[in-house]
Amino acid sequence: LLRYLNQYMQAYEINTPLRVCHFLAQVAHESKFQPRAENLNYSPQRMREIYGCRGGPSQYDETRDDCRQGRISARNGLWSNSDYYARNPEHLGSLVYANRMGNGDENRGGGYKYRGRGLIQLTGKDNYTDFTSDHNHRFPTNQKNFLEEPDLLMTDLEVAVESACFYW
């Protein structure tokens, strides 16, 4: 890990004591220095709390299993079709990230395919596209396509470190 941190922190100008401290704190908070993929495996109530309410999770009222300031209308299925989304990461990710961050609609599955991964959760097709372009520009002899291989951000420690530096 240290070898990759030293290499990519320099490449991405995380090179002052303050930047290094902030970057390492962010990585420690997000992943404890272990590459991860966003889980998206939630009970019905928890998925509604995390993803269903306008204004975020603080607006979820567990006593009513509903939102104080209203539901996010594009996610009404979290209530009306909870068996389909609860404890099903593919379905839930495809819904909550649909039509955002360059992902297509729910049926295309991009929300799940481009879910958060890495030491800092790189999320969304736009970010995977930008990371691919940046990596290939910086390292022309080591071309990668993270759109085709998004799991590299989780399974390859070097890529996980670089993606965190890129995103940060």
Side-chain angles (χ1 to χ4, degrees):
L1 180 69
L2 186 57
R3 180 176 115 209
Y4 299 135
L5 285 170
N6 287 332
Q7 176 183 349
Y8 290 109
M9 287 169 64
Q10 278 300 95
Y12 286 91
E13 298 182 17
I14 305 169
N15 55 7
T16 67
L18 185 61
R19 286 180 181 185
V20 170
C21 287
H22 281 274
F23 174 76
L24 293 176
Q26 187 70 37
V27 171
H29 172 75
E30 292 226 8
S31 67
K32 296 182 174 88
F33 298 97
Q34 297 292 318
R36 301 184 188 281
E38 190 174 4
N39 184 348
L40 297 168
N41 185 11
Y42 292 104
S43 69
Q45 292 76 18
R46 184 72 173 150
M47 72 179 180
R48 292 190 281 264
E49 175 185 354
I50 298 299
Y51 298 110
C53 297
R54 279 193 273 146
S58 66
Q59 297 307 310
Y60 179 75
D61 180 350
E62 71 177 81
T63 60
R64 296 184 307 119
D65 187 29
D66 212 343
C67 304
R68 292 181 185 93
Q69 294 183 359
R71 299 175 183 175
I72 298 172
S73 61
R75 299 180 188 165
N76 276 329
L78 298 177
W79 281 268
S80 65
N81 200 4
S82 64
D83 289 344
Y84 182 76
Y85 296 108
R87 306 210 189 285
N88 190 317
E90 278 192 59
H91 293 168
L92 183 60
S94 294
L95 172 70
V96 300
Y97 293 126
N99 301 311
R100 299 174 50 213
M101 301 177 283
N103 299 325
D105 66 26
E106 179 181 354
N107 295 327
R108 299 193 61 185
Y112 178 75
K113 183 175 183 178
Y114 302 113
R115 71 193 179 280
R117 290 186 188 81
L119 294 178
I120 294 178
Q121 301 287 290
L122 191 72
T123 307
K125 186 176 182 181
D126 287 345
N127 285 322
Y128 281 80
T129 299
D130 292 346
F131 177 46
T132 298
S133 296
D134 191 80
H135 168 87
N136 290 337
H137 176 75
R138 286 176 190 265
F139 307 103
T141 61
N142 183 22
Q143 298 288 294
K144 303 272 188 195
N145 187 340
F146 302 114
L147 290 167
E148 294 298 319
E149 296 183 274
D151 281 335
L152 286 175
L153 279 77
M154 183 183 66
T155 61
D156 184 320
L157 183 58
E158 182 176 0
V159 172
V161 170
E162 183 189 358
S163 70
C165 292
F166 161 79
Y167 188 71
W168 193 85

